[in-house]
Amino acid sequence: MITKSSVQINKEWDIVGARQMGRELAKDLGFGTVDQARIATAISELARNIYLYAEKGKIAYETVEDMNKKGLKIIASDQGPGINDLSKVMEDGFSTSGGLGAGLPGVKRLMDYFDVVSEPGKGTTITTIKWVR
């Protein structure tokens, strides 16, 4: 059973919708409340980055199964300006928005799998997975 769905990020309010959908999917998959909160927090950060830096994009969700485990894959994609210095963005405390700087390193810590593909001028795709424990 593979479930796929997505939320378009065009305005700030879409961040809330993306977060709610992710939490519902996580709950349906059997994630506990702590992991549901981790997933919702990661989605908030990813959606906020789309809104702040690319203006519009998409958060996509997919249930995944590997061997004897199941999980939730979250793909954040946009056609925004891309990330010029990926290693800088992945440093703890780095912020271009004046935020707390948890950013992408925080998302990486919250999830079990994390991958970034970004091309300046073409956009960014971030893929994360959280496995049900």
Side-chain angles (χ1 to χ4, degrees), residues 9-123:
I9 306 297
N10 298 310
K11 53 190 184 295
E12 195 167 13
W13 190 247
D14 295 333
I15 297 166
V16 175
R19 185 182 164 97
Q20 287 172 335
M21 181 178 280
R23 188 183 277 272
E24 283 301 311
L25 288 168
K27 185 177 177 186
D28 293 347
L29 271 170
F31 283 97
T33 54
V34 172
D35 277 341
Q36 288 175 39
R38 286 184 177 119
I39 289 166
T41 301
I43 291 167
S44 285
E45 186 64 40
L46 294 170
R48 185 165 306 287
N49 282 352
I50 290 171
Y51 175 73
L52 289 175
Y53 303 113
E55 295 178 8
K56 59 185 177 205
K58 178 171 81 170
I59 301 285
Y61 311 88
E62 199 176 309
T63 57
V64 289
E65 292 188 35
D66 183 37
M67 308 278 257
N68 296 329
K69 58 185 177 178
K70 60 184 176 178
L72 182 61
K73 180 190 282 188
I74 299 153
I75 303 161
S77 57
D78 65 62
Q79 281 76 53
I83 300 170
N84 286 321
D85 189 346
L86 198 52
S87 61
K88 188 91 172 150
V89 170
M90 292 306 297
E91 287 176 13
D92 274 323
F94 178 78
S95 174
T96 55
S97 66
L100 296 175
L104 296 181
V107 172
K108 185 175 182 179
R109 278 193 300 275
L110 290 167
M111 303 301 279
D112 298 318
Y113 172 85
F114 178 90
D115 181 61
V116 181
V117 176
S118 187
E119 195 173 335
K122 298 214 171 155

